[in-house]
Amino acid sequence: GTGRRGLLGLLARQCSCVTGQRARRGRYRGDGAAERARRGGGGGGGGGAGGWWWLLRGRPSFAATGRLMATLAGVFVWDGQRIEEEELQRSAQEMKHMENISSLLPGSSLGEYQRPDPRSDREAVTVPGEQPWEMIMDKKHFKLWRRPIEGTHLYQYRVFGSYTDVTPRQFFNVQLDTEYRKKWDSLVIKLDVIERDLATGSEVIHWVTHFPYPMYSRDYVYVRRYSVDKENNLMVLVSRAVEHPSVPEDPEYVRVRTYESQMVIRPHKTFDENGFDYLLTYSDNPQTVFPRYCVSWMVSSGMPDFLEKLHMAALKAKKMEVEVRDYMSAKPLESGGEGKASAAEHKGDGTRSPPQLEYA
């Protein structure tokens, strides 16, 4: 009886803490005053006082209880968190849709495209039955669209672009190499691999980045997985936010809990010859109280700047000015010592990835 009471008390304290955090997140949306109050520890105390009752009243599922117990033990449960094969294939299909539409436009490469009428702009990236996209930037080497996310004040963004002076392998490696990014991206405060699932190549990343003044720095905890499809001449990188017990919220930063990114690269010829097209789809909730048009302006102006920095970093890697890990040829055990590998739970389950895909 004493043991059961002790366990229930532990669960109550944990759930109270979680409920208090949710209450604070609901009250403080990311503006300067809210972030300062957040650092002062204000708010959320009342919400957490009896908040653990949701655990008993809601009759949580066995899986939810298992995840909670795993969190208490400091263990990350990969089931339901890793990037699945379907997510990679879905991103690849979106690239195919863009290529099919682009082939109907004038010119043989992105740099030669002529701007179509606004209706064609929307049709170029809109799948039937989905909300239409709005083009907000049309440059020589890339196009940028956005569309509102239903039920929120946020936008989802999509970039379709092309480079001819670097190889797909170099561009791909530069995106994945966390150590190199710390050198070329001045906004990075912290960027580390926390844990790795050797069965699929999914990795948990902790990323802390500067935000424009007067906003506080943001931190992201997300899982990513990439694939190299040599048979179909395609590269895919998918990321989305997760929770990880070893990376609790830090009062110095604002935790971004809604984040998704998909990058697809199509070589013009091969992985090691200059020239490729890419499709980047991105959305996150930076937890600010700025109007949607302000956030959209920050993203639409910041995304081209980031892509150019990424491009310049790839050029430096091409000129051998820096050493970048080759993720295409790396095997799971060779892909880096940082992070904690977690593949034992999948041994003997009979699951294998398609032979044309190589994962780190």
Side-chain angles (χ1 to χ4, degrees), residues 296-309:
S296 177
W297 176 82
M298 286 189 292
V299 174
S300 60
S301 59
M303 186 174 291
D305 180 62
F306 168 78
L307 289 170
E308 182 55 29
K309 288 195 296 184

Side-chain angles (χ1 to χ4, degrees), residues 182-195:
K182 295 174 185 177
K183 299 176 182 178
W184 63 262
D185 189 350
S186 61
L187 296 179
V188 170
I189 300 174
K190 183 178 182 180
L191 185 62
D192 297 306
V193 178
I194 304 302
E195 187 164 342

Side-chain angles (χ1 to χ4, degrees), residues 133 136-137 139 142-146 155-161 163 171 184 187 259-263 278-284 295-311:
W133 294 82
I136 58 176
M137 193 172 294
K139 300 293 184 180
F142 76 90
K143 301 174 184 291
L144 173 63
W145 293 266
R146 72 179 183 186
Y155 284 105
Q156 184 180 32
Y157 300 88
R158 173 161 286 180
V159 181
F160 185 54
Y163 289 113
F171 192 73
W184 63 262
L187 296 179
Y259 163 70
E260 290 186 358
S261 174
Q262 301 90 35
M263 169 74 83
Y278 67 89
L279 177 65
L280 171 62
T281 306
Y282 175 90
S283 66
D284 77 345
V295 177
S296 177
W297 176 82
M298 286 189 292
V299 174
S300 60
S301 59
M303 186 174 291
D305 180 62
F306 168 78
L307 289 170
E308 182 55 29
K309 288 195 296 184
L310 178 62
H311 176 220

Side-chain angles (χ1 to χ4, degrees), residues 218-233:
R218 262 59 176 172
D219 82 324
Y220 298 70
V221 179
Y222 63 93
V223 60
R224 75 177 185 184
R225 179 180 173 183
Y226 72 85
S227 71
V228 178
D229 187 341
K230 295 182 178 180
E231 181 177 318
N232 294 301
N233 206 31

Side-chain angles (χ1 to χ4, degrees), residues 163 166-170 228-230 232-235 265-277 328:
Y163 289 113
V166 295
T167 71
R169 182 191 293 265
Q170 292 154 350
V228 178
D229 187 341
K230 295 182 178 180
N232 294 301
N233 206 31
L234 204 65
M235 299 164 145
I265 298 173
R266 169 80 74 185
H268 291 166
K269 296 180 180 179
T270 68
F271 294 121
D272 294 304
E273 294 181 78
N274 286 350
F276 61 90
D277 297 330
M328 280 188 61

Side-chain angles (χ1 to χ4, degrees), residues 107-126:
S108 58
S109 67
L110 188 67
E112 300 173 353
Y113 288 163
Q114 299 175 9
R115 177 165 183 163
D117 60 74
R119 181 180 176 183
S120 298
D121 285 347
R122 292 191 296 271
E123 292 176 350
V125 288
T126 301

